[in-house]
Amino acid sequence: MSVFPKISLRLEVENYLKEGFLNKEVVSALGKQEAERKFETLLNHLSHPPSFTTVRVNTRQASVQHVKNMLLDEIQKFNGLSVPVLQHPNLQDVLLIPVIGPRKNIKKEECEVVVGAQCGNAVLRGAHVYVPGIVSASKFMKAGDIVSVYSDIKGKCKKGAKEFDGTKVFLGNGISESSRREIFSGLPDPRGIGVRMTEPVYLSLSFYNVLPGYLFLQNLPSTVVTHVLGPQPGERILDLCAAPGGKTTHIAALMRDQGEVIALDKIANKVTRIKQNALLLGLNSIRAFCFDGTKALKLNPVTDIEGEPPFLPESFDRILLDAPCSGMGQRPNMACSWTLKEVMSYQPLQRKLFTVAVKLLKPGGVLVYSTCTITLAENEEQVAWALTEFPCLQLQPQEPQIGGEGMMGAGLSVEQLKQLQRFDPSVVPLQDMDFGSLRDAREEDMVWLANKDCIGFFIAKFIKCKSTEKKDP
């Protein structure tokens, strides 16, 4: 059931998305009314969190069963919760934890805290409210007060305001850890928890510092990507846009930490985070570099620093391009203030990165392209472009196949669409999950729901059939 308004977008962006989802091929197949219904359903789902929290077990440290038992103990400590932890049948290193909610009978308190939209999204996935995310607090708020927390989805609340009557969405109640005076004291770089959530509208475990080294919090489709890539021990694999390192560390784990995983990102603090995650998870095969992926192809073989970017052509067995994208599939997301120009800016960058990836891939090698967005332009249109631009590439079926098939509209054949995976959360109704429904639910039904009610995501898998290097006559 919907408890939040649909995602708030600029009109130009919503019309652009609608044009993609109501393209001629889709309308011809479904009819205009059904295509419009599906699009509106999708916008509504994007503002709500998925029905399950997904964590990946670091199998280099412990067995899945052992970590599952430890996680059940942690959940018991968290408000005495009693919810199941499910091992995914097709993703053996993935555990699923149901999210309880929406809880509709929470009493709203007189004392209010307003947070920014990004902070609000995190609260809906189980986080507490940290001081930097607080925009406004009631003038009489003291540490220890029970407060109602709201998200300023339009970004209209003035920092430090004592009250806010604009558009705000109720996220639940918590206990303030600081007074209003302390939060807005003007001290540089305020830190720490500002409100500890005790009655959130959506109840899920906060995974901050829960079993570090054993678990990695990831969305379900993000774990599917690495299995589709299929890394093998001893291979040399490139993660072209790697931060924060979830997929990089997954690649290394599936290779049993044997071989070489090169991770690139052009932002230094993100590369530091990749290295920290590799260290935390005990993985030694990862080498992370601060480097622009669009420049990762070595044009002058004479200047060679062994093993560092840029790289020689056709020097990787497998490449993951989890491309920078508009991120329009992320959930929950109640508001996106991006302009149409910003949303459309990613397609050219993705093509630059894709071109580099093809040239760096060995003949016979595997290239997986993925995004966490829903646009036709960044997904199926990119596949159609790649197959035309690079005759050496062939689209491949994926294993495991958990998402739906690709969306019509880019001129791909029915067979080609079936080889893609598009995770579209609108295919199932929004869920009401409570302790009673969990007790009665069958495990296979819950896994099915977790596969459907996740973030919006896209995966395509290619194999390079022949060399792209020009041979000397």
Side-chain angles (χ1 to χ4, degrees):
M1 176 183 173
S2 173
V3 290
F4 303 135
K6 72 179 186 181
I7 182 174
S8 174
L9 302 166
R10 289 176 184 255
L11 183 60
E12 60 177 3
V13 172
E14 184 168 333
N15 288 340
Y16 167 73
L17 290 174
K18 188 171 184 178
E19 189 178 312
F21 278 80
L22 271 71
N23 67 70
K24 287 181 181 178
E25 286 185 58
V26 169
V27 170
S28 176
L30 300 180
K32 188 176 181 184
Q33 190 173 349
E34 175 61 11
E36 284 181 340
R37 186 199 66 78
K38 279 178 67 77
F39 177 65
E40 288 298 321
T41 301
L42 176 60
L43 296 186
N44 207 32
H45 278 57
L46 290 176
S47 64
H48 294 70
S51 293
F52 289 79
T53 300
T54 308
V55 292
R56 176 173 58 81
V57 174
N58 177 19
T59 50
R60 301 300 301 161
Q61 296 281 47
S63 71
V64 175
Q65 186 59 49
H66 180 63
V67 175
K68 180 179 175 180
N69 292 337
M70 289 195 295
L71 184 54
L72 282 165
D73 289 340
E74 290 291 329
I75 291 172
Q76 277 292 330
K77 294 177 199 171
F78 177 72
N79 283 358
L81 270 184
S82 179
V83 295
V85 174
L86 311 175
Q87 183 177 3
H88 198 290
N90 305 113
L91 305 163
Q92 292 293 311
D93 52 358
V94 169
L95 298 175
L96 305 168
I97 304 99
V99 174
I100 304 297
R103 303 192 296 170
K104 305 179 188 71
N105 298 319
I106 301 171
K107 178 191 169 191
K108 294 177 182 176
E109 301 292 332
E110 187 179 351
C111 191
E112 295 184 359
V113 168
V114 178
V115 301
Q118 288 300 106
C119 178
N121 294 340
V123 168
L124 290 175
R125 295 296 298 259
H128 296 296
V129 175
Y130 286 80
V131 172
I134 297 175
V135 183
S136 161
S138 295
K139 62 182 178 182
F140 46 82
M141 188 182 84
K142 306 181 302 295
D145 284 351
I146 299 173
V147 300
S148 285
V149 178
Y150 296 82
S151 178
D152 171 25
I153 61 172
K154 302 276 190 181
K156 300 293 187 184
C157 183
K158 186 178 177 183
K159 185 80 171 179
K162 294 175 181 173
E163 58 182 33
F164 177 60
D165 294 324
T167 304
K168 57 188 178 185
V169 174
F170 180 60
L171 304 177
N173 294 338
I175 298 172
S176 61
E177 298 270 309
S178 307
S179 68
R180 174 190 162 80
R181 179 177 292 179
E182 289 166 333
I183 290 169
F184 299 113
S185 64
L187 290 174
D189 200 21
R191 292 176 179 272
I193 294 176
V195 178
R196 192 171 295 277
M197 298 300 296
T198 53
E199 284 187 293
V201 170
Y202 282 91
L203 180 61
S204 59
L205 178 63
S206 169
F207 275 86
Y208 179 73
N209 247 358
V210 172
L211 304 178
Y214 291 100
L215 292 178
F216 201 98
L217 188 62
Q218 282 185 282
N219 287 299
L220 186 133
S222 297
T223 66
V224 175
V225 169
T226 317
H227 284 284
V228 169
L229 184 67
Q232 301 299 314
E235 292 183 328
R236 189 173 191 234
I237 298 181
L238 175 63
D239 189 349
L240 197 52
C241 303
K247 299 178 187 72
T248 307
T249 54
H250 197 186
I251 291 168
L254 291 179
M255 293 168 67
R256 302 199 286 276
D257 209 22
Q258 298 168 24
E260 185 179 29
V261 184
I262 302 289
L264 302 185
D265 201 276
K266 66 179 184 178
I267 299 173
N269 62 354
K270 290 187 176 182
V271 175
T272 301
R273 195 170 164 199
I274 295 169
K275 291 177 179 178
Q276 288 170 341
N277 281 327
L279 188 66
L280 179 66
L281 298 172
L283 297 165
N284 302 308
S285 57
I286 295 168
R287 299 180 69 202
F289 300 96
C290 184
F291 201 84
D292 183 348
T294 63
K295 299 172 182 173
L297 180 68
K298 191 185 294 277
L299 300 175
N300 180 10
V302 177
T303 56
D304 186 26
I305 303 172
E306 185 60 37
E308 295 189 8
F311 304 107
L312 290 170
E314 302 191 338
S315 55
F316 289 93
D317 298 292
R318 298 174 198 264
I319 297 177
L320 172 62
L321 174 52
D322 185 47
C325 68
S326 59
M328 301 293 291
Q330 291 290 1
R331 296 175 64 197
N333 187 4
M334 293 195 191
C336 178
S337 60
W338 283 17
T339 64
L340 181 57
K341 184 179 179 181
E342 287 173 310
V343 172
M344 295 179 69
S345 68
Y346 285 94
Q347 191 189 63
L349 173 60
Q350 291 159 355
R351 292 186 178 183
K352 282 182 184 177
L353 288 162
F354 197 100
T355 300
V356 169
V358 172
K359 292 178 179 178
L360 287 173
L361 188 65
K362 293 177 181 177
V366 170
L367 168 58
V368 170
Y369 172 83
S370 62
T371 75
C372 59
T373 195
I374 57 174
T375 70
L376 191 69
E378 296 172 79
N379 295 326
E380 289 84 358
E381 282 185 15
Q382 297 294 53
V383 172
W385 165 82
L387 293 173
T388 301
E389 187 75 11
F390 304 104
C392 62
L393 293 183
Q394 278 187 5
L395 204 55
Q396 294 290 293
Q398 300 180 36
E399 181 60 39
Q401 181 85 27
I402 290 173
E405 61 187 45
M407 187 167 75
M408 295 176 285
L412 297 170
S413 69
V414 172
E415 290 73 23
Q416 288 170 327
L417 292 175
K418 286 178 180 176
Q419 291 178 314
L420 305 174
Q421 291 199 70
R422 176 180 271 263
F423 291 81
D424 176 2
S426 70
V427 298
V428 289
L430 285 168
Q431 301 299 306
D432 280 9
M433 193 94 77
D434 58 31
F435 293 108
S437 63
L438 280 180
R439 279 194 300 272
D440 300 335
R442 297 187 310 164
E443 186 167 319
E444 55 264 41
D445 292 338
M446 287 195 281
V447 172
W448 180 86
L449 179 60
N451 289 342
K452 305 297 182 188
D453 190 13
C454 57
I455 66 167
F457 206 88
F458 179 83
I459 311 172
K461 179 181 180 181
F462 303 87
I463 191 166
K464 185 175 177 178
C465 300
K466 58 178 184 285
S467 176
T468 47
E469 285 296 282
K470 293 177 182 176
K471 300 289 189 291
D472 293 330

